[in-house]
Amino acid sequence: MWLALCAVILGTFVTVLNNSLINVAIPQMTNVFGSTTDMMQWVLTGYSLAAAIVIPLSGFLGDRFGTKKLFIIALAGFTISSVLCGLAWSDISLIAFRVLQGMSGGVLSPLSMTIIYGIVPKDKVGTALGIWGIASMAAPAIGPTVSGYLIDFLSWRWLFFISVPFGIFAVTAGIFLLKESPLKQASFDIGGGILSVIFFSTLLLALGQGNKEGWTSFYIVGLLFVSFFSLLLLIWVESGAEDPLLDLRLFKNPIFTLSVICGGLVMAGLMGGSFLVPLYLQNVQGLTPIDTGIIMIPQGVLMALMMPLSGRLFDKIGVAPVAISGLLLMSTTTYELQHLAINTPIPWLTVLLAIRGMGIGLCMMPITTAGMNSVPKELIGRGSSLSNVLRQVAGTMSIAIFTTIMTNRQIFHVRNIADGIPSDSFLATQVLSQISSALAQMGTDAATATGGASAVLVGIMQKEALNSAIADTFLISALPLFICIPCVFLFIKRRTAKTKEKMVPAKETAV
């Protein structure tokens, strides 16, 4: 059982590591191919869209062809597409190969969870999922740092080639260690498949492109319009389907529904921090990507270490105490990040992020496990795919919302700073004079020195405004985590209610 779990962990590790490496390398690849930043962002967007499209299919494909066979095929496809990405000759070819990578990689996360539920006894599922979670947390922790070293000392192509030996080893381990699951003769839900592709692709595309194109642009409004009505049609079709692709009937299960809601809120808070911290360190503190990765390593390491501990605690004392402890740590530290300043000491920030990582490691897996434990065994594959795709949507949506909030708050703070400086301000005049003098001493003529001084002053204002905007966004990103805390208490109520229902008939029978 534990050897088979190692094969699943390897498969998860290789996919998560690859994505954490690529995020840092977009500027480098833009320069290499002579492309634009907007074009190269499709290296990330294409992968996300492809993954979101295939995740709903993972439950059906696992039932139809077997989880072992699908796991090996998907992992082999991911490894081959990694080689193709490393050999890409243009930005278009790289984006195309990343789409192929997303189609194979998107299946692996929900499929891994399904395999674990198939090979691990129910009383040890929490521990097993906690160990499995190490891979999903350790890879992002080391990814940015490894990416920086590979780019500096080798080539961006090695960001893809480094995944190949891991992939080959994981495929080999899967062949020998995993057992095939029983096949189910499920018919493919064509209507649900088409509508789910339309809904998730248009929604994620709108969320990913909204800040660039403008939320009121015809393109984004059109995508949101299509996604909304395709969702309504999807709900209608799936509600009446005999064998639905997305089994929405699972939402009649209150524990599963509560788990999905809490998981989405935690994902929103998690993605907010993951998005804002590198932005602050690089754009405000002026650190390099490698230095940023090193500062974030303790957070990732503690996340990974807390995962198996949270799993063992879940198996022993249940979801509520573990999840609430983690949420309190995560929400409090995220709230504290609103106090970030331009000169915030790096050691203080590192310790705060490390404590936040402990909270994430404690709360993430118990919430997911509680929901999946309430799903009948024959529906585990469908429940896993539904839970995973909704968490991905929550993560993408949160980044879009936080980006918009941060942009608007930066504009607000720039105006406030500008309004707070009178036109006849002695201090502003003195600063401009000092900067102009410094530029003049470097051999710059008077007109250029004056213009350069103004540009420097505007840059200082922009940096201060960005810092304040990031701090404001951290405050808002803490709200979903605080909201999640009372929701977790409902797990206790539901559990107590179920216990009473079981006890009453027993007493009546005894009498």
Side-chain angles (χ1 to χ4, degrees):
M1 179 183 72
W2 299 112
L3 288 174
L5 182 62
C6 290
V8 176
I9 289 173
L10 278 171
T12 304
F13 178 80
V14 70
T15 54
V16 179
L17 176 65
N18 183 266
N19 278 325
S20 62
L21 292 174
I22 304 307
N23 289 338
V24 182
I26 294 298
Q28 172 79 6
M29 291 187 288
T30 303
N31 295 332
V32 168
F33 290 121
S35 184
T36 63
T37 302
D38 290 341
M39 186 67 176
M40 290 308 297
Q41 282 296 326
W42 279 96
V43 171
L44 303 176
T45 304
Y47 184 98
S48 299
L49 287 176
I53 288 170
V54 299
I55 287 175
L57 299 174
S58 61
F60 164 77
L61 294 174
D63 291 344
R64 189 69 179 271
F65 301 105
T67 53
K68 175 182 176 178
K69 185 182 297 182
L70 182 61
F71 180 82
I72 292 170
I73 291 172
L75 198 50
F78 186 89
T79 305
I80 293 170
S81 57
S82 295
V83 175
L84 294 174
C85 287
L87 298 174
W89 55 89
S90 65
D91 50 1
I92 298 296
S93 63
L94 179 59
I95 292 168
F97 294 142
R98 279 286 287 172
V99 170
L100 292 176
Q101 210 177 32
M103 292 178 68
S104 52
V107 175
L108 289 171
S109 182
L111 190 62
S112 298
M113 191 178 292
T114 304
I115 292 173
I116 290 172
Y117 272 89
I119 63 176
V120 178
K122 196 166 186 178
D123 60 332
K124 295 182 179 179
V125 163
T127 303
L129 286 175
I131 296 172
W132 172 67
I134 293 176
S136 59
M137 294 302 174
I142 65 173
T145 307
V146 172
S147 178
Y149 281 110
L150 288 175
I151 291 172
D152 285 348
F153 297 108
L154 292 172
S155 163
W156 67 269
R157 297 183 186 275
W158 281 94
L159 300 176
F160 298 101
F161 291 150
I162 196 175
S163 301
V164 175
F166 288 104
I168 293 173
F169 189 71
V171 168
T172 306
I175 291 172
F176 290 104
L177 297 177
L178 294 179
K179 293 182 179 180
E180 189 57 271
S181 63
L183 301 183
K184 300 176 184 177
Q185 294 302 317
S187 57
F188 181 65
D189 177 16
I190 298 175
I194 294 173
L195 288 170
S196 68
V197 168
I198 295 172
F199 168 63
F200 288 115
S201 60
T202 53
L203 177 61
L204 292 179
L205 189 58
L207 293 174
Q209 300 289 308
N211 287 294
K212 185 187 76 170
E213 300 289 340
W215 291 104
T216 57
S217 66
F218 178 78
Y219 175 58
I220 298 301
V221 172
L223 286 173
L224 292 174
F225 179 85
V226 172
S227 67
F228 175 74
F229 284 98
S230 60
L231 173 62
L232 295 181
L233 286 172
L234 178 63
I235 295 172
W236 179 68
V237 169
E238 297 299 81
S239 299
E242 185 177 344
D243 192 11
L245 184 70
L246 287 173
D247 199 341
L248 302 181
R249 290 170 295 187
L250 287 170
F251 287 122
K252 293 180 180 179
N253 180 339
I255 297 296
F256 178 79
T257 304
L258 185 61
S259 171
V260 170
I261 293 171
C262 290
L265 291 172
V266 172
M267 182 60 71
L270 171 63
M271 295 305 292
S274 302
F275 160 68
L276 292 168
V277 171
L279 198 64
Y280 166 77
L281 290 173
Q282 294 180 42
N283 292 3
V284 177
Q285 292 273 15
L287 301 182
T288 64
I290 294 179
D291 292 334
T292 300
I294 292 172
I295 290 170
M296 296 184 71
I297 281 178
Q299 174 181 251
V301 169
L302 283 171
M303 270 193 274
L305 291 176
M306 296 306 292
M307 279 285 187
L309 176 61
S310 70
R312 288 183 64 84
L313 291 173
F314 172 85
D315 289 335
K316 290 183 177 181
I317 61 177
V319 57
V322 186
I324 291 171
S325 300
L327 283 168
L328 285 172
L329 285 176
M330 190 179 174
S331 57
T332 304
T333 50
T334 304
Y335 177 81
E336 281 299 312
L337 287 170
Q338 68 167 311
H339 300 301
L340 287 176
I342 291 178
N343 58 349
T344 294
I346 295 300
W348 177 85
L349 179 60
T350 304
V351 171
L352 196 66
L353 291 176
I355 298 172
R356 186 173 183 271
M358 292 174 62
I360 296 169
L362 279 173
C363 70
M364 279 288 290
M365 203 53 66
I367 289 173
T368 303
T369 308
M372 293 302 299
N373 279 353
S374 68
V375 176
K377 192 170 184 179
E378 65 275 10
L379 295 176
I380 286 292
R382 305 300 175 95
S384 176
S385 63
L386 186 59
S387 175
N388 273 273
V389 74
L390 291 178
R391 278 203 306 274
Q392 180 159 345
V393 169
T396 306
M397 186 178 294
S398 64
I399 290 178
I401 292 171
F402 293 145
T403 303
T404 303
I405 292 171
M406 185 189 68
T407 303
N408 291 336
R409 293 301 295 174
Q410 185 177 7
I411 295 170
F412 169 80
H413 285 297
V414 166
R415 288 174 179 169
N416 268 5
I417 293 171
D419 291 344
I421 302 176
S423 57
D424 57 347
S425 170
F426 172 75
L427 181 61
T429 303
Q430 190 177 29
V431 170
L432 284 172
S433 177
Q434 291 173 352
I435 297 173
S436 300
S437 299
L439 291 173
Q441 290 175 5
M442 297 170 62
T444 308
D445 61 83
T448 305
T450 302
S454 299
V456 170
L457 186 59
V458 169
I460 294 171
M461 292 167 58
Q462 289 283 358
K463 181 181 283 192
E464 182 64 43
L466 177 61
N467 178 83
S468 299
I470 290 174
D472 292 346
T473 311
F474 266 122
L475 175 61
I476 295 170
S477 70
L479 293 179
L481 302 174
F482 283 114
I483 293 171
C484 192
I485 293 173
C487 293
V488 173
F489 281 101
L490 296 176
F491 283 110
I492 302 175
K493 294 181 180 179
R494 292 296 308 175
R495 191 173 181 181
T496 305
K498 283 190 173 184
T499 305
K500 287 180 179 178
E501 287 173 7
K502 290 179 180 178
M503 289 174 64
V504 171
K507 289 182 179 178
E508 289 176 354
T509 304
V511 172

PDB file of all heavy atoms in Angstrom, residues 317-334:
ATOM      1  N   ILE A 317      -8.569  12.620  15.661  1.00  0.00           N
ATOM      2  CA  ILE A 317      -9.476  13.538  16.375  1.00  0.00           C
ATOM      3  C   ILE A 317     -10.508  14.202  15.466  1.00  0.00           C
ATOM      4  O   ILE A 317     -11.319  14.991  15.938  1.00  0.00           O
ATOM      5  CB  ILE A 317      -8.679  14.616  17.139  1.00  0.00           C
ATOM      6  CG1 ILE A 317      -7.838  15.467  16.180  1.00  0.00           C
ATOM      7  CG2 ILE A 317      -7.783  13.981  18.187  1.00  0.00           C
ATOM      8  CD1 ILE A 317      -7.082  16.601  16.864  1.00  0.00           C
ATOM      9  N   GLY A 318     -10.459  13.955  14.165  1.00  0.00           N
ATOM     10  CA  GLY A 318     -11.464  14.517  13.267  1.00  0.00           C
ATOM     11  C   GLY A 318     -11.022  15.818  12.616  1.00  0.00           C
ATOM     12  O   GLY A 318      -9.943  16.344  12.876  1.00  0.00           O
ATOM     13  N   VAL A 319     -11.906  16.355  11.780  1.00  0.00           N
ATOM     14  CA  VAL A 319     -11.550  17.482  10.927  1.00  0.00           C
ATOM     15  C   VAL A 319     -11.519  18.818  11.667  1.00  0.00           C
ATOM     16  O   VAL A 319     -10.629  19.639  11.443  1.00  0.00           O
ATOM     17  CB  VAL A 319     -12.514  17.564   9.713  1.00  0.00           C
ATOM     18  CG1 VAL A 319     -13.959  17.679  10.156  1.00  0.00           C
ATOM     19  CG2 VAL A 319     -12.153  18.727   8.802  1.00  0.00           C
ATOM     20  N   ALA A 320     -12.495  19.057  12.555  1.00  0.00           N
ATOM     21  CA  ALA A 320     -12.684  20.400  13.102  1.00  0.00           C
ATOM     22  C   ALA A 320     -11.474  20.924  13.896  1.00  0.00           C
ATOM     23  O   ALA A 320     -10.993  22.032  13.616  1.00  0.00           O
ATOM     24  CB  ALA A 320     -13.945  20.447  13.952  1.00  0.00           C
ATOM     25  N   PRO A 321     -10.953  20.198  14.899  1.00  0.00           N
ATOM     26  CA  PRO A 321      -9.829  20.758  15.666  1.00  0.00           C
ATOM     27  C   PRO A 321      -8.607  21.053  14.806  1.00  0.00           C
ATOM     28  O   PRO A 321      -7.942  22.087  14.997  1.00  0.00           O
ATOM     29  CB  PRO A 321      -9.526  19.654  16.698  1.00  0.00           C
ATOM     30  CG  PRO A 321     -10.765  18.829  16.768  1.00  0.00           C
ATOM     31  CD  PRO A 321     -11.366  18.870  15.405  1.00  0.00           C
ATOM     32  N   VAL A 322      -8.314  20.158  13.861  1.00  0.00           N
ATOM     33  CA  VAL A 322      -7.122  20.334  13.025  1.00  0.00           C
ATOM     34  C   VAL A 322      -7.316  21.513  12.073  1.00  0.00           C
ATOM     35  O   VAL A 322      -6.454  22.393  11.947  1.00  0.00           O
ATOM     36  CB  VAL A 322      -6.824  19.044  12.226  1.00  0.00           C
ATOM     37  CG1 VAL A 322      -5.506  19.189  11.467  1.00  0.00           C
ATOM     38  CG2 VAL A 322      -6.765  17.841  13.140  1.00  0.00           C
ATOM     39  N   ALA A 323      -8.465  21.524  11.381  1.00  0.00           N
ATOM     40  CA  ALA A 323      -8.707  22.565  10.382  1.00  0.00           C
ATOM     41  C   ALA A 323      -8.816  23.948  11.028  1.00  0.00           C
ATOM     42  O   ALA A 323      -8.296  24.930  10.496  1.00  0.00           O
ATOM     43  CB  ALA A 323      -9.974  22.246   9.592  1.00  0.00           C
ATOM     44  N   ILE A 324      -9.480  24.027  12.167  1.00  0.00           N
ATOM     45  CA  ILE A 324      -9.634  25.331  12.833  1.00  0.00           C
ATOM     46  C   ILE A 324      -8.279  25.857  13.311  1.00  0.00           C
ATOM     47  O   ILE A 324      -7.990  27.055  13.181  1.00  0.00           O
ATOM     48  CB  ILE A 324     -10.634  25.217  14.006  1.00  0.00           C
ATOM     49  CG1 ILE A 324     -12.053  24.993  13.457  1.00  0.00           C
ATOM     50  CG2 ILE A 324     -10.599  26.464  14.879  1.00  0.00           C
ATOM     51  CD1 ILE A 324     -13.082  24.651  14.497  1.00  0.00           C
ATOM     52  N   SER A 325      -7.442  24.982  13.851  1.00  0.00           N
ATOM     53  CA  SER A 325      -6.099  25.408  14.268  1.00  0.00           C
ATOM     54  C   SER A 325      -5.324  25.962  13.075  1.00  0.00           C
ATOM     55  O   SER A 325      -4.684  27.028  13.165  1.00  0.00           O
ATOM     56  CB  SER A 325      -5.337  24.225  14.878  1.00  0.00           C
ATOM     57  OG  SER A 325      -6.015  23.710  16.002  1.00  0.00           O
ATOM     58  N   GLY A 326      -5.377  25.247  11.949  1.00  0.00           N
ATOM     59  CA  GLY A 326      -4.673  25.710  10.762  1.00  0.00           C
ATOM     60  C   GLY A 326      -5.232  27.014  10.224  1.00  0.00           C
ATOM     61  O   GLY A 326      -4.474  27.913   9.828  1.00  0.00           O
ATOM     62  N   LEU A 327      -6.557  27.134  10.220  1.00  0.00           N
ATOM     63  CA  LEU A 327      -7.184  28.353   9.706  1.00  0.00           C
ATOM     64  C   LEU A 327      -6.867  29.566  10.582  1.00  0.00           C
ATOM     65  O   LEU A 327      -6.691  30.680  10.068  1.00  0.00           O
ATOM     66  CB  LEU A 327      -8.699  28.155   9.617  1.00  0.00           C
ATOM     67  CG  LEU A 327      -9.188  27.319   8.441  1.00  0.00           C
ATOM     68  CD1 LEU A 327     -10.654  26.954   8.621  1.00  0.00           C
ATOM     69  CD2 LEU A 327      -8.992  28.066   7.130  1.00  0.00           C
ATOM     70  N   LEU A 328      -6.800  29.362  11.900  1.00  0.00           N
ATOM     71  CA  LEU A 328      -6.452  30.467  12.790  1.00  0.00           C
ATOM     72  C   LEU A 328      -5.034  30.961  12.510  1.00  0.00           C
ATOM     73  O   LEU A 328      -4.784  32.179  12.456  1.00  0.00           O
ATOM     74  CB  LEU A 328      -6.579  30.022  14.250  1.00  0.00           C
ATOM     75  CG  LEU A 328      -8.009  29.892  14.785  1.00  0.00           C
ATOM     76  CD1 LEU A 328      -8.008  29.267  16.178  1.00  0.00           C
ATOM     77  CD2 LEU A 328      -8.695  31.260  14.825  1.00  0.00           C
ATOM     78  N   LEU A 329      -4.105  30.026  12.312  1.00  0.00           N
ATOM     79  CA  LEU A 329      -2.732  30.423  11.978  1.00  0.00           C
ATOM     80  C   LEU A 329      -2.676  31.126  10.628  1.00  0.00           C
ATOM     81  O   LEU A 329      -2.037  32.174  10.475  1.00  0.00           O
ATOM     82  CB  LEU A 329      -1.823  29.187  11.950  1.00  0.00           C
ATOM     83  CG  LEU A 329      -1.420  28.570  13.288  1.00  0.00           C
ATOM     84  CD1 LEU A 329      -0.615  27.303  13.053  1.00  0.00           C
ATOM     85  CD2 LEU A 329      -0.621  29.556  14.116  1.00  0.00           C
ATOM     86  N   MET A 330      -3.354  30.550   9.659  1.00  0.00           N
ATOM     87  CA  MET A 330      -3.295  31.082   8.292  1.00  0.00           C
ATOM     88  C   MET A 330      -3.971  32.441   8.181  1.00  0.00           C
ATOM     89  O   MET A 330      -3.433  33.373   7.570  1.00  0.00           O
ATOM     90  CB  MET A 330      -3.957  30.079   7.343  1.00  0.00           C
ATOM     91  CG  MET A 330      -3.762  30.362   5.869  1.00  0.00           C
ATOM     92  SD  MET A 330      -4.568  29.089   4.868  1.00  0.00           S
ATOM     93  CE  MET A 330      -4.325  29.782   3.219  1.00  0.00           C
ATOM     94  N   SER A 331      -5.144  32.576   8.781  1.00  0.00           N
ATOM     95  CA  SER A 331      -5.880  33.840   8.679  1.00  0.00           C
ATOM     96  C   SER A 331      -5.188  34.961   9.459  1.00  0.00           C
ATOM     97  O   SER A 331      -5.105  36.097   8.988  1.00  0.00           O
ATOM     98  CB  SER A 331      -7.320  33.659   9.189  1.00  0.00           C
ATOM     99  OG  SER A 331      -7.323  33.177  10.527  1.00  0.00           O
ATOM    100  N   THR A 332      -4.663  34.641  10.648  1.00  0.00           N
ATOM    101  CA  THR A 332      -4.001  35.666  11.463  1.00  0.00           C
ATOM    102  C   THR A 332      -2.737  36.181  10.790  1.00  0.00           C
ATOM    103  O   THR A 332      -2.487  37.398  10.750  1.00  0.00           O
ATOM    104  CB  THR A 332      -3.655  35.090  12.851  1.00  0.00           C
ATOM    105  OG1 THR A 332      -4.844  34.591  13.459  1.00  0.00           O
ATOM    106  CG2 THR A 332      -3.049  36.167  13.737  1.00  0.00           C
ATOM    107  N   THR A 333      -1.923  35.278  10.262  1.00  0.00           N
ATOM    108  CA  THR A 333      -0.677  35.705   9.604  1.00  0.00           C
ATOM    109  C   THR A 333      -0.961  36.448   8.303  1.00  0.00           C
ATOM    110  O   THR A 333      -0.260  37.414   7.973  1.00  0.00           O
ATOM    111  CB  THR A 333       0.222  34.490   9.323  1.00  0.00           C
ATOM    112  OG1 THR A 333      -0.538  33.457   8.664  1.00  0.00           O
ATOM    113  CG2 THR A 333       0.803  33.935  10.609  1.00  0.00           C
ATOM    114  N   THR A 334      -1.991  36.028   7.566  1.00  0.00           N
ATOM    115  CA  THR A 334      -2.363  36.753   6.347  1.00  0.00           C
ATOM    116  C   THR A 334      -2.842  38.159   6.690  1.00  0.00           C
ATOM    117  O   THR A 334      -2.517  39.131   5.995  1.00  0.00           O
ATOM    118  CB  THR A 334      -3.466  35.998   5.580  1.00  0.00           C
ATOM    119  OG1 THR A 334      -3.023  34.665   5.298  1.00  0.00           O
ATOM    120  CG2 THR A 334      -3.793  36.689   4.263  1.00  0.00           C
TER     121      THR A 334
END
